Amino acid sequence: AHVRGRERRAHPGTVLQLHKPGPNVRPVLVQGSSAGGNIAADQFSTRAGTPVSVNPGLQAVVQTAQGAIARQDSIAALLASLAGLGSKLSDLPKPVAQAGAGLLETQLRLDGKPLDGATLRQALQRSGVLFENTLAKGAPLPQGEIKSGLLKLAGALRKWLGDATAAKPHAENRPPPPLTPGNAPRTERPSSLPLPGDLAPRDAGARLLVQADAALSRMRLAQISSLPDSFVRGGQAAGPSPELNMELPLLLGGELSVGQFQVMRDGKNGAGEDPDGAWKMLFSINFSQTGEVGATVSLRRKKIGVMLWAEREDIAEALEDMSEDLETALEARGLEPGAIRCRHGVPPRAKPPAGMFMDDCS
C-alpha cells in the first residue's frame, strides 16, 4: 500500500478505512497499537473527514478477528494429528492424552446407526459456538463440548511445554475463514496429514499446541459470524442472532471431514418471534465417497421442505431415488412433507466483500 509516498505492506488482518467516499476512494492503513500480534483499529471514518469512535464491544471483536484470521485452521488438522499418534498418544502427559482422546470422541460418526434429529441437535449444541452463551446462563456444558475440549488440550499442552513453544500454523492448505453472514455453507475435503511418526513427544506436543490454537482461532471466527446484528450496532450481544454458523467434525468410515451448518429463522415466511414458527437449516458435507452434498431444510410449524443438491450426478440421482423414502420418514415423525427436490450441481460460492480477507495490497 502506498501511503504518502512510502510503501507499506499490509499484513493479514490489517484494518483499512476509506479516506474519502466517492468513486476515487483509496484504502489507508489505520494506525493502532500492537498487542500479541493484533493490530487494533482505534477508529473508523464513516463520513468524509469525520472520525467516529468504535464501541468497545465491537472493537474487541475486530481485534479478535484480526488475529484469528491470520492464525485459523480447520480442526481437521488437529484431529488428524491426534488420530495419527495412535497408541503414542498415551506417551504424552496424562492431562494431554486425556484431552486429546476427548476431542477424538467429538467426531460424529455417519456410518453407524442412522443419524436422527436429536443426535444432530446435540452435536450442534456441543459445536463450540454456544460455549460462552451456555456459561453465561449458568447451564452445564454438554458432554463433548468442542471449544471446552480445545481449551483443555491447549491448556494442558502449555502447562507441559510452556508458551515459548508457540508458533504460527503453516499457511499451506489452510481453508479460507469460516462463514461470513449471508453466505451459504460450502465444504472442501481437508488435506491435513498426520504427524510424522518419528517425532519426539515434546515436538509432537508443540505441533499439537499450534494446531489447537489454530482451531480455537477458527472457532472464534465462527462465533463472531454468529453474533446478532444488535451487537454490531451497539456493542451489546442482546437479541436473537440472525443465524448460527457451526462446523462439526464428521467421520464416514475412516475418512474425516468437517461439515458446515447454518441455522436461522426463516423470516421470509413471517415467523416473527413465534418459537414454533419458521426455521431453516443449511448444511454441506464432503467425502471422497460422495463428493460435496448439501441441503436446505425449511420448517414452518409441522410442514417441512427439503432441497438437496450433490456435486456428482450419480449421487444426485441416488438422492432423487430416495425422495419417497424421505417423505415416508418425515410423515412417520409427525411432519407434513412439502416440496422435496434434488438437483445436480453445487451452489455458487458467494463473492466475499472487497477487502474482507486481504493478505496483501499493492
Side-chain angles (χ1 to χ4, degrees), residues 173-352:
N173 300 322
R174 282 194 296 160
L179 283 172
T180 53
N183 289 346
R186 292 294 309 277
T187 306
E188 298 177 359
R189 287 198 295 274
S191 56
S192 304
L193 298 175
L195 295 178
D198 57 349
L199 277 182
R202 290 187 67 88
D203 292 334
R207 186 80 65 87
L208 292 175
L209 178 55
V210 171
Q211 292 174 336
D213 282 341
L216 279 167
S217 291
R218 186 171 181 87
M219 178 76 68
R220 293 180 182 110
L221 290 174
Q223 291 179 295
I224 288 172
S225 74
S226 300
L227 286 171
D229 292 337
S230 59
F231 184 89
V232 177
R233 292 194 300 269
Q236 300 295 323
S241 174
E243 59 192 48
L244 291 175
N245 298 313
M246 308 173 180
E247 293 186 325
L248 291 180
L250 309 170
L251 275 179
L252 183 60
E255 184 180 359
L256 166 66
S257 184
V258 178
Q260 288 196 346
F261 293 78
Q262 191 177 79
V263 181
M264 67 187 78
R265 286 189 177 275
D266 192 359
K268 296 185 300 181
N269 294 326
E273 297 300 320
D274 182 358
D276 298 321
W279 290 87
K280 182 184 291 186
M281 183 180 76
L282 294 79
F283 70 83
S284 167
I285 61 176
N286 198 333
F287 290 96
S288 59
Q289 299 179 40
T290 62
E292 190 179 7
V293 176
T296 299
V297 182
S298 301
L299 175 66
R300 181 169 177 81
R301 299 187 184 277
K302 293 291 185 178
K303 187 169 184 179
I304 189 166
V306 181
M307 174 63 191
L308 298 161
W309 54 266
E311 176 186 20
R312 286 168 35 186
E313 186 173 5
D314 60 325
I315 300 298
E317 291 174 353
L319 292 172
E320 182 69 35
D321 292 340
M322 291 188 292
S323 59
E324 290 186 5
D325 294 336
L326 175 59
E327 184 173 341
T328 301
L330 293 172
E331 290 175 340
R333 286 163 173 78
L335 298 171
E336 178 187 349
I340 298 178
R341 295 174 291 171
C342 182
R343 65 180 178 85
H344 169 224
V346 299
R349 291 188 182 275
K351 185 177 180 180

Side-chain angles (χ1 to χ4, degrees), residues 71-239:
R71 292 192 298 266
Q72 66 87 25
D73 197 0
S74 171
I75 194 175
L78 174 62
L79 294 173
S81 294
L82 290 169
L85 285 172
S87 61
K88 291 184 178 181
L89 181 60
S90 60
D91 295 337
L92 304 182
K94 186 176 180 180
V96 174
Q98 289 179 335
L103 275 173
L104 287 174
E105 290 297 319
T106 65
Q107 300 172 102
L108 184 61
R109 293 189 173 274
L110 302 181
D111 52 358
K113 63 179 182 180
L115 182 65
D116 58 19
T119 302
L120 179 59
R121 178 179 179 177
Q122 292 169 3
L124 293 174
Q125 286 175 332
R126 65 173 188 260
S127 67
V129 171
L130 302 175
F131 175 76
E132 285 81 3
N133 189 52
T134 303
L135 292 180
K137 291 179 178 179
L141 291 171
Q143 184 176 2
E145 209 279 342
I146 294 179
K147 187 170 184 180
S148 174
L150 288 170
L151 291 169
K152 287 179 182 177
L153 178 60
L157 286 165
R158 281 196 167 85
K159 188 174 181 179
W160 173 38
L161 302 169
D163 285 323
T165 59
K168 292 183 179 180
H170 297 287
E172 298 81 8
N173 300 322
R174 282 194 296 160
L179 283 172
T180 53
N183 289 346
R186 292 294 309 277
T187 306
E188 298 177 359
R189 287 198 295 274
S191 56
S192 304
L193 298 175
L195 295 178
D198 57 349
L199 277 182
R202 290 187 67 88
D203 292 334
R207 186 80 65 87
L208 292 175
L209 178 55
V210 171
Q211 292 174 336
D213 282 341
L216 279 167
S217 291
R218 186 171 181 87
M219 178 76 68
R220 293 180 182 110
L221 290 174
Q223 291 179 295
I224 288 172
S225 74
S226 300
L227 286 171
D229 292 337
S230 59
F231 184 89
V232 177
R233 292 194 300 269
Q236 300 295 323

